[in-house]
PDB file of all heavy atoms in Angstrom:
ATOM      1  N   GLY A 945     295.661  61.913 -29.227  1.00  0.00           N
ATOM      2  CA  GLY A 945     296.056  62.639 -27.992  1.00  0.00           C
ATOM      3  C   GLY A 945     295.061  63.744 -27.549  1.00  0.00           C
ATOM      4  O   GLY A 945     294.795  64.636 -28.234  1.00  0.00           O
ATOM      5  N   ALA A 946     294.528  63.436 -26.332  1.00  0.00           N
ATOM      6  CA  ALA A 946     293.468  64.332 -25.779  1.00  0.00           C
ATOM      7  C   ALA A 946     294.198  65.630 -25.243  1.00  0.00           C
ATOM      8  O   ALA A 946     295.391  65.483 -24.885  1.00  0.00           O
ATOM      9  CB  ALA A 946     292.730  63.679 -24.699  1.00  0.00           C
ATOM     10  N   MET A 947     293.550  66.691 -25.100  1.00  0.00           N
ATOM     11  CA  MET A 947     294.093  67.922 -24.456  1.00  0.00           C
ATOM     12  C   MET A 947     294.283  67.644 -22.980  1.00  0.00           C
ATOM     13  O   MET A 947     293.479  67.145 -22.280  1.00  0.00           O
ATOM     14  CB  MET A 947     293.177  69.071 -24.685  1.00  0.00           C
ATOM     15  CG  MET A 947     293.266  69.753 -25.998  1.00  0.00           C
ATOM     16  SD  MET A 947     294.892  70.327 -26.347  1.00  0.00           S
ATOM     17  CE  MET A 947     294.923  71.716 -25.411  1.00  0.00           C
ATOM     18  N   PRO A 948     295.477  68.178 -22.512  1.00  0.00           N
ATOM     19  CA  PRO A 948     295.695  68.049 -21.039  1.00  0.00           C
ATOM     20  C   PRO A 948     294.839  69.150 -20.330  1.00  0.00           C
ATOM     21  O   PRO A 948     294.284  70.013 -20.934  1.00  0.00           O
ATOM     22  CB  PRO A 948     297.243  68.374 -20.904  1.00  0.00           C
ATOM     23  CG  PRO A 948     297.465  69.261 -22.112  1.00  0.00           C
ATOM     24  CD  PRO A 948     296.508  68.824 -23.210  1.00  0.00           C
ATOM     25  N   PRO A 949     294.817  69.024 -18.992  1.00  0.00           N
ATOM     26  CA  PRO A 949     294.041  70.014 -18.256  1.00  0.00           C
ATOM     27  C   PRO A 949     294.593  71.415 -18.485  1.00  0.00           C
ATOM     28  O   PRO A 949     293.783  72.357 -18.480  1.00  0.00           O
ATOM     29  CB  PRO A 949     294.300  69.640 -16.740  1.00  0.00           C
ATOM     30  CG  PRO A 949     294.778  68.326 -16.782  1.00  0.00           C
ATOM     31  CD  PRO A 949     295.437  68.062 -18.111  1.00  0.00           C
ATOM     32  N   LYS A 950     295.883  71.583 -18.786  1.00  0.00           N
ATOM     33  CA  LYS A 950     296.440  72.899 -19.128  1.00  0.00           C
ATOM     34  C   LYS A 950     297.022  72.888 -20.457  1.00  0.00           C
ATOM     35  O   LYS A 950     297.623  71.874 -20.895  1.00  0.00           O
ATOM     36  CB  LYS A 950     297.550  73.224 -18.066  1.00  0.00           C
ATOM     37  CG  LYS A 950     298.119  74.558 -18.200  1.00  0.00           C
ATOM     38  CD  LYS A 950     299.199  74.887 -17.350  1.00  0.00           C
ATOM     39  CE  LYS A 950     299.802  76.219 -17.644  1.00  0.00           C
ATOM     40  NZ  LYS A 950     301.175  76.591 -17.147  1.00  0.00           N
ATOM     41  N   GLY A 951     296.738  73.881 -21.216  1.00  0.00           N
ATOM     42  CA  GLY A 951     297.242  74.024 -22.632  1.00  0.00           C
ATOM     43  C   GLY A 951     298.079  75.310 -22.539  1.00  0.00           C
ATOM     44  O   GLY A 951     298.976  75.517 -21.794  1.00  0.00           O
ATOM     45  N   GLN A 952     297.821  76.203 -23.605  1.00  0.00           N
ATOM     46  CA  GLN A 952     298.590  77.455 -23.719  1.00  0.00           C
ATOM     47  C   GLN A 952     297.775  78.585 -23.230  1.00  0.00           C
ATOM     48  O   GLN A 952     298.224  79.769 -23.407  1.00  0.00           O
ATOM     49  CB  GLN A 952     299.112  77.626 -25.140  1.00  0.00           C
ATOM     50  CG  GLN A 952     297.942  77.749 -26.187  1.00  0.00           C
ATOM     51  CD  GLN A 952     298.401  77.815 -27.546  1.00  0.00           C
ATOM     52  OE1 GLN A 952     299.184  77.019 -28.025  1.00  0.00           O
ATOM     53  NE2 GLN A 952     297.849  78.709 -28.321  1.00  0.00           N
ATOM     54  N   GLU A 953     296.606  78.276 -22.612  1.00  0.00           N
ATOM     55  CA  GLU A 953     295.557  79.375 -22.282  1.00  0.00           C
ATOM     56  C   GLU A 953     296.149  80.474 -21.366  1.00  0.00           C
ATOM     57  O   GLU A 953     295.754  81.548 -21.431  1.00  0.00           O
ATOM     58  CB  GLU A 953     294.313  78.925 -21.908  1.00  0.00           C
ATOM     59  CG  GLU A 953     294.247  77.991 -20.641  1.00  0.00           C
ATOM     60  CD  GLU A 953     294.659  76.533 -20.938  1.00  0.00           C
ATOM     61  OE1 GLU A 953     295.831  76.302 -20.903  1.00  0.00           O
ATOM     62  OE2 GLU A 953     293.821  75.698 -21.253  1.00  0.00           O
ATOM     63  N   MET A 954     297.116  80.016 -20.471  1.00  0.00           N
ATOM     64  CA  MET A 954     297.623  81.052 -19.512  1.00  0.00           C
ATOM     65  C   MET A 954     298.592  82.005 -20.179  1.00  0.00           C
ATOM     66  O   MET A 954     299.030  82.980 -19.496  1.00  0.00           O
ATOM     67  CB  MET A 954     298.266  80.324 -18.374  1.00  0.00           C
ATOM     68  CG  MET A 954     297.449  79.374 -17.684  1.00  0.00           C
ATOM     69  SD  MET A 954     295.991  80.109 -16.815  1.00  0.00           S
ATOM     70  CE  MET A 954     296.759  80.800 -15.434  1.00  0.00           C
ATOM     71  N   ASP A 955     299.054  81.812 -21.405  1.00  0.00           N
ATOM     72  CA  ASP A 955     300.084  82.643 -21.956  1.00  0.00           C
ATOM     73  C   ASP A 955     301.300  82.827 -21.150  1.00  0.00           C
ATOM     74  O   ASP A 955     301.886  83.892 -21.085  1.00  0.00           O
ATOM     75  CB  ASP A 955     299.487  84.008 -22.321  1.00  0.00           C
ATOM     76  CG  ASP A 955     298.555  83.995 -23.488  1.00  0.00           C
ATOM     77  OD1 ASP A 955     298.793  83.189 -24.462  1.00  0.00           O
ATOM     78  OD2 ASP A 955     297.618  84.791 -23.485  1.00  0.00           O
ATOM     79  N   ASP A 956     301.616  81.760 -20.391  1.00  0.00           N
ATOM     80  CA  ASP A 956     302.772  81.900 -19.452  1.00  0.00           C
ATOM     81  C   ASP A 956     304.058  81.445 -20.051  1.00  0.00           C
ATOM     82  O   ASP A 956     305.147  81.519 -19.405  1.00  0.00           O
ATOM     83  CB  ASP A 956     302.479  81.168 -18.160  1.00  0.00           C
ATOM     84  CG  ASP A 956     302.087  79.725 -18.436  1.00  0.00           C
ATOM     85  OD1 ASP A 956     301.882  79.313 -19.606  1.00  0.00           O
ATOM     86  OD2 ASP A 956     301.820  78.963 -17.467  1.00  0.00           O
ATOM     87  N   HIS A 957     303.984  81.026 -21.331  1.00  0.00           N
ATOM     88  CA  HIS A 957     305.278  80.516 -21.888  1.00  0.00           C
ATOM     89  C   HIS A 957     305.963  81.599 -22.751  1.00  0.00           C
ATOM     90  O   HIS A 957     307.195  81.650 -22.862  1.00  0.00           O
ATOM     91  CB  HIS A 957     305.076  79.247 -22.790  1.00  0.00           C
ATOM     92  CG  HIS A 957     306.189  78.427 -23.054  1.00  0.00           C
ATOM     93  ND1 HIS A 957     306.780  78.438 -24.303  1.00  0.00           N
ATOM     94  CD2 HIS A 957     307.072  77.744 -22.270  1.00  0.00           C
ATOM     95  CE1 HIS A 957     307.880  77.629 -24.318  1.00  0.00           C
ATOM     96  NE2 HIS A 957     308.023  77.249 -23.140  1.00  0.00           N
ATOM     97  N   TYR A 958     305.140  82.343 -23.479  1.00  0.00           N
ATOM     98  CA  TYR A 958     305.692  83.344 -24.364  1.00  0.00           C
ATOM     99  C   TYR A 958     306.675  84.260 -23.794  1.00  0.00           C
ATOM    100  O   TYR A 958     306.331  84.953 -22.802  1.00  0.00           O
ATOM    101  CB  TYR A 958     304.506  84.138 -25.045  1.00  0.00           C
ATOM    102  CG  TYR A 958     304.926  84.921 -26.215  1.00  0.00           C
ATOM    103  CD1 TYR A 958     305.463  84.465 -27.290  1.00  0.00           C
ATOM    104  CD2 TYR A 958     304.645  86.312 -26.224  1.00  0.00           C
ATOM    105  CE1 TYR A 958     305.809  85.129 -28.438  1.00  0.00           C
ATOM    106  CE2 TYR A 958     304.982  87.101 -27.326  1.00  0.00           C
ATOM    107  CZ  TYR A 958     305.621  86.501 -28.358  1.00  0.00           C
ATOM    108  OH  TYR A 958     305.970  87.265 -29.585  1.00  0.00           O
TER     109      TYR A 958
END
Side-chain angles (χ1 to χ4, degrees):
M947 277 304 280
K950 181 183 178 198
Q952 63 188 44
E953 57 281 89
M954 305 294 284
D955 287 326
D956 51 356
H957 194 253
Y958 191 55

